[in-house]
Amino acid sequence: TADPATDTLSIPDALPILSMAFTPNQASGGDVVSVDFTFTNSSGTTGLTDLAFNFPYQAFFSGATPTSFPTAGSCGSGSNFSQVSSGGLQQFTVTGGNLAASGSCSCSFTLTLATNTPSGDVTANTSLVSGQAGGATVSGSAASATLSIGGDNEINFSKSFQTNPIVAGNSTVLE
């Protein structure tokens, strides 16, 4: 009889955790909002490398434009932040992030919302976050956050006559 086949399964204890928030969390069309991300390494013993995720912001905020990006290297040496087009939509992309065991880092970029952004609550999501831990590929859940878009970007007009009622043939001022 032959010996049974054996193998060892190694499960990395390091998983990337990604969180996301909008600052402020209420805005109107034309406003600038900060989109804040925090990476956290869940392992106390293993570092994470090559952290990456995408945030397809135009899928949630049509016509929004970025106004600033984080500085390269601000989430570990080699971390890079850029805007890329995918499927006709712009997205914020993070690549090359690195975290020590139990480490975390934060990065933010700013968006200017289109002036015609409709009112309502918008829950936006990132892609899954991925990376390397001890030579193994690891991934964590997507992050999400809600931005409340207010209706104060609507224009309201009112008018009134100074003299009301007015007799035919007389004049008045419209305010």
Side-chain angles (χ1 to χ4, degrees), residues 1-15:
T1 64
D3 290 332
T6 62
D7 201 355
T8 302
L9 173 63
S10 297
I11 301 173
D13 68 338
L15 292 177

Side-chain angles (χ1 to χ4, degrees), residues 5-148:
T6 62
D7 201 355
T8 302
L9 173 63
S10 297
I11 301 173
D13 68 338
L15 292 177
I17 299 169
L18 180 65
S19 63
M20 173 178 157
F22 291 104
T23 307
N25 63 359
Q26 295 182 335
S28 296
D31 286 353
V32 175
V33 295
S34 176
V35 188
D36 309 316
F37 299 100
T38 300
F39 284 111
T40 304
N41 184 346
S42 65
S43 172
T45 58
T46 306
L48 291 170
T49 61
D50 296 325
L51 292 169
F53 75 93
N54 297 317
F55 174 49
Y57 61 88
Q58 283 191 334
F60 305 103
F61 306 107
S62 180
T65 56
T67 52
S68 69
F69 289 94
T71 303
S74 60
C75 270
S77 177
S79 60
N80 196 17
F81 310 92
S82 60
Q83 174 179 280
V84 297
S85 181
S86 177
L89 297 173
Q90 297 297 311
Q91 61 184 357
F92 173 70
T93 300
V94 177
T95 56
N98 295 287
L99 289 177
S102 299
S104 67
C105 80
S106 296
C107 61
S108 299
F109 83 108
T110 56
L111 280 178
T112 300
L113 300 174
T115 56
N116 63 346
T117 300
S119 298
D121 289 347
V122 178
T123 300
N125 305 296
T126 68
S127 67
L128 297 175
V129 59
S130 63
Q132 296 286 314
T137 299
V138 293
S139 65
S141 299
S144 67
T146 300
L147 179 64
S148 294

